[in-house]
Amino acid sequence: MALRCPIVSVLGHVDHGKTSLLDKIRRTRVTQREAGGITQHIGASEIPINTIKKVSKDLLGLFKADLSIPGILVIDTPGHEAFTSLRKRGGALADIAILVVDINEGFKPQTIEAINILKQCKTPFVVAANKVDRIPGWNSSEGPFILNFNEKNQHPNAMTEFEIRLYENVIKHLNELGFDADLFSRVKDTTKTINVVPVSAMTGEGVPDLLVIISGLAQRFLEQKLALNVEGYAKGTVLELKEEKGLGKTIDAIIYDGIAKTGDFLVVGNPDGVLVSKIKALLKPKELDEMRDPKDKFKPSKQISAATGVKISAPDLDSVIAGSPLRIVPKNQVEAAKEEVLEEVEEFTILTDDE
Ligand code: GDP
């Protein structure tokens, strides 16, 4: 069974390091020359499973991870509305989440807000306990946390301080919110216990561990959800509306299921209900070496398949708003898609009325 990439979003309190961690994840490469690094999508980056396996080769044995997902698709905008408040629309978007918590500062209002959203959406998540390099005396270095976490590399006082901060600032708060949680290397049953992965977005410590844990969780819990629907039409969500030179208003979207072709119809929610527009082009970012003119950043694709980020060029997109559900369908399926989209929009209205 072919699986698609799980969609991963990063949430957490402001300044706890979401942007820095994403940058570090995006720069995950084994060596500069190695082929198959990170593929840039619209609004997302795809990290192939081979890259994950290589950076975490020392860890795979530990977790007995048998990974057959093609990679992970990480949303570039941390805490994007479409993945937080608008995610309440009920549209399945992020398959899995990374909740970033500063291990020195602990839980803050937006940490709790993020957890409530994840709970409500039943999105599995791991906690990235960030800024371990700032634990007094901690000797932080790039690479797996698990190889750095021992008396040979750390002063006993730093080890003690780490345990205190891990418990007081992270695990205790998760317990209070009803979650069992532990340091990932001590977790025996991932169906019951939240994995806490210590990381440093500054040194890169723990990033391999984080990528393996995310991949392993996705593989184990989402296999059915990730079965690639090669027959079906594309389902997605609007990330944002962008004006592009020569194209006018375009939609940046994440496609989480199915397949889309140029010439299909876009069916997307808008404040009046639903809008239908004939697609002019499905655009992907050009590789840097293909980009002769910096204004000419995109190239058209005849067909795209989930999970992917895409820029949609079509007429009359002005009324579309971020977070709206969308479908890309052949003409004979427009009516069915309209109903589906309307249903999703209504679900959202009911939810917000309750709040
Ligand atoms: P965001 O608001 O959650 O996206 O947080 P940022 O990524 O912008 O980080 C906030 C501040 O914390 C910035 O000054 C970062 O350089 C710093 N920072 C982020 N991660 C780390 C880390 O792991 N270690 C240290 N020492 N600083 C960090």
Side-chain angles (χ1 to χ4, degrees):
M1 180 174 58
L3 300 180
R4 64 168 175 83
C5 287
I7 299 169
V8 181
S9 73
V10 178
L11 308 173
H13 194 74
V14 64
D15 279 346
H16 279 197
K18 298 179 292 295
T19 313
S20 312
L21 187 61
L22 270 167
D23 279 351
K24 214 51 181 186
I25 290 174
R26 269 199 300 261
R27 268 184 246 132
T28 305
R29 273 168 210 259
V30 187
T31 61
Q32 288 299 331
R33 275 181 300 132
E34 195 140 20
I38 313 298
T39 318
Q40 208 52 43
H41 289 242
I42 298 288
S45 310
E46 184 182 339
I47 304 158
I49 202 66
N50 280 339
T51 304
I52 296 176
K53 282 181 177 167
K54 276 178 192 144
V55 295
S56 58
K57 58 182 184 308
D58 303 317
L59 302 170
L60 290 169
L62 283 173
F63 305 119
K64 301 181 188 67
D66 182 16
L67 301 172
S68 63
I69 51 169
I72 62 174
L73 187 74
V74 185
I75 303 301
D76 281 341
T77 333
H80 193 287
E81 257 197 312
F83 294 88
T84 53
S85 61
L86 295 174
R87 175 78 211 283
K88 291 180 202 151
R89 288 182 185 206
L93 205 28
D95 298 300
I96 202 158
I98 300 173
L99 177 69
V100 180
V101 182
D102 181 338
I103 194 170
N104 310 291
E105 243 191 28
F107 272 43
K108 292 279 170 187
Q110 282 166 273
T111 318
I112 294 165
E113 196 183 307
I115 289 192
N116 286 334
I117 292 164
L118 295 172
K119 243 186 183 171
Q120 194 184 342
C121 300
K122 300 193 175 68
T123 308
F125 65 97
V126 303
V127 173
N130 192 29
K131 309 198 189 184
V132 280
D133 61 282
R134 291 184 61 191
I135 290 170
W138 193 259
N139 179 17
S140 187
S141 60
E142 187 163 15
F145 167 84
I146 211 164
L147 303 183
N148 196 33
F149 177 56
N150 54 55
E151 306 263 325
K152 209 172 80 217
N153 289 348
Q154 308 297 341
H155 191 277
N157 292 350
M159 294 281 274
T160 308
E161 196 56 45
F162 167 79
E163 295 289 357
I164 292 171
R165 290 181 192 211
L166 177 72
Y167 181 74
E168 290 293 326
N169 294 341
V170 184
I171 292 177
K172 194 176 81 181
H173 295 282
L174 285 162
N175 292 163
E176 281 164 7
L177 293 169
F179 293 102
D180 197 14
D182 211 342
L183 182 66
F184 70 102
S185 52
R186 296 173 186 151
V187 170
K188 294 206 177 63
D189 184 351
T190 41
T191 57
K192 297 204 181 88
T193 311
I194 303 274
N195 283 278
V196 180
V197 187
V199 297
S200 166
M202 201 170 79
T203 66
E205 181 173 358
V207 172
D209 316 57
L210 184 63
L211 293 175
V212 167
I213 292 289
I214 284 279
S215 309
L217 276 184
Q219 180 85 48
R220 228 164 300 154
F221 295 120
L222 303 169
E223 231 177 321
Q224 265 191 330
K225 198 175 169 197
L226 298 179
L228 187 63
N229 183 359
V230 284
E231 304 286 308
Y233 54 70
K235 301 179 180 184
T237 300
V238 178
L239 275 186
E240 57 188 313
L241 209 61
K242 267 196 189 156
E243 183 77 37
E244 298 289 351
K245 243 197 170 130
L247 297 173
K249 280 269 163 48
T250 63
I251 286 178
D252 285 1
I254 297 291
I255 304 299
Y256 58 81
D257 193 22
I259 284 181
K261 300 185 180 78
T262 331
D264 279 351
F265 285 79
L266 170 73
V267 180
V268 57
N270 78 351
D272 302 324
V274 64
L275 174 137
V276 179
S277 186
K278 183 147 198 310
I279 290 176
K280 282 197 281 194
L282 297 167
L283 299 160
K284 294 266 188 170
K286 275 188 181 165
E287 305 291 334
L288 274 179
D289 52 359
E290 297 176 301
M291 211 187 286
R292 278 171 208 96
D293 177 355
K295 280 188 294 223
D296 187 19
K297 291 180 288 197
F298 311 105
K299 60 177 177 200
S301 294
K302 283 205 179 90
Q303 180 173 311
I304 56 162
S305 71
T308 185
V310 67
K311 181 180 281 295
I312 302 167
S313 169
D316 308 321
L317 299 181
D318 292 276
S319 63
V320 176
I321 51 171
S324 302
L326 70 80
R327 302 287 184 270
I328 301 176
V329 295
K331 195 169 185 185
N332 62 358
Q333 292 183 47
V334 166
E335 287 310 313
K338 269 164 89 173
E339 262 170 51
E340 252 182 53
V341 167
L342 270 175
E343 239 167 64
E344 262 187 50
V345 173
E346 269 158 28
E347 236 171 88
F348 169 63
T349 320
I350 294 163
L351 267 172
T352 39
D353 285 351
D354 283 349
E355 281 167 2

